[in-house]
Amino acid sequence: SATLDIFKSKIVKPSKCKDIYMYGCRKYAMIHAQLRMKCSNLKAHLYALHVSDDEFCMCGYKCEDSRHFLLYCPMYHDIRNSLMTFCNDNDIEFDLENLLYGKDEIDYDVNKSLFKEVQFFIEMSRRF
């Protein structure tokens, strides 16, 4: 390479972080990111990090992970309805992938609204 900058540009990989990951209130955006990276305060994440002795949810389910928390835990059934309604109204499949990562095929503003709904769910759960 002719210059140091050209050399650096060839070896440094661009960040894969999407702008949408920075959206929302910092506190809940960070928890949202932790759910994506499997390093939140959910019991399965703590168990995998050898911080907890078990991964059981307080509802009695065997594994409190992101999937269980966002999609199935009966403790959050009532607050989950708003999130499900948003997904249904916007033709977004209510699945873990979309809730954690957004959906590339939809408009950026709709993704922002989806993240807002997910982060509101996180806040209302009072789990973190």
Side-chain angles (χ1 to χ4, degrees), residues 82-95 98-99 114 117:
S82 172
L83 186 54
M84 291 174 71
T85 299
F86 175 84
C87 288
N88 288 336
D89 290 348
N90 289 280
D91 264 345
I92 300 170
E93 187 175 347
F94 187 71
D95 66 13
N98 290 337
L99 297 180
L114 174 60
E117 289 292 327

Side-chain angles (χ1 to χ4, degrees), residues 70-123:
L70 290 170
L71 302 177
Y72 302 113
C73 186
M75 294 172 32
Y76 310 113
H77 174 76
D78 292 340
I79 61 172
R80 187 176 296 112
N81 287 334
S82 172
L83 186 54
M84 291 174 71
T85 299
F86 175 84
C87 288
N88 288 336
D89 290 348
N90 289 280
D91 264 345
I92 300 170
E93 187 175 347
F94 187 71
D95 66 13
L96 186 64
E97 185 83 11
N98 290 337
L99 297 180
L100 292 181
Y101 299 97
K103 190 169 180 176
D104 290 336
E105 297 80 27
I106 61 175
D107 183 70
Y108 181 76
D109 289 332
V110 177
N111 268 320
K112 277 181 22 181
S113 296
L114 174 60
F115 272 41
K116 180 180 176 182
E117 289 292 327
V118 171
Q119 291 169 18
F120 182 69
F121 174 86
I122 292 167
E123 177 183 9

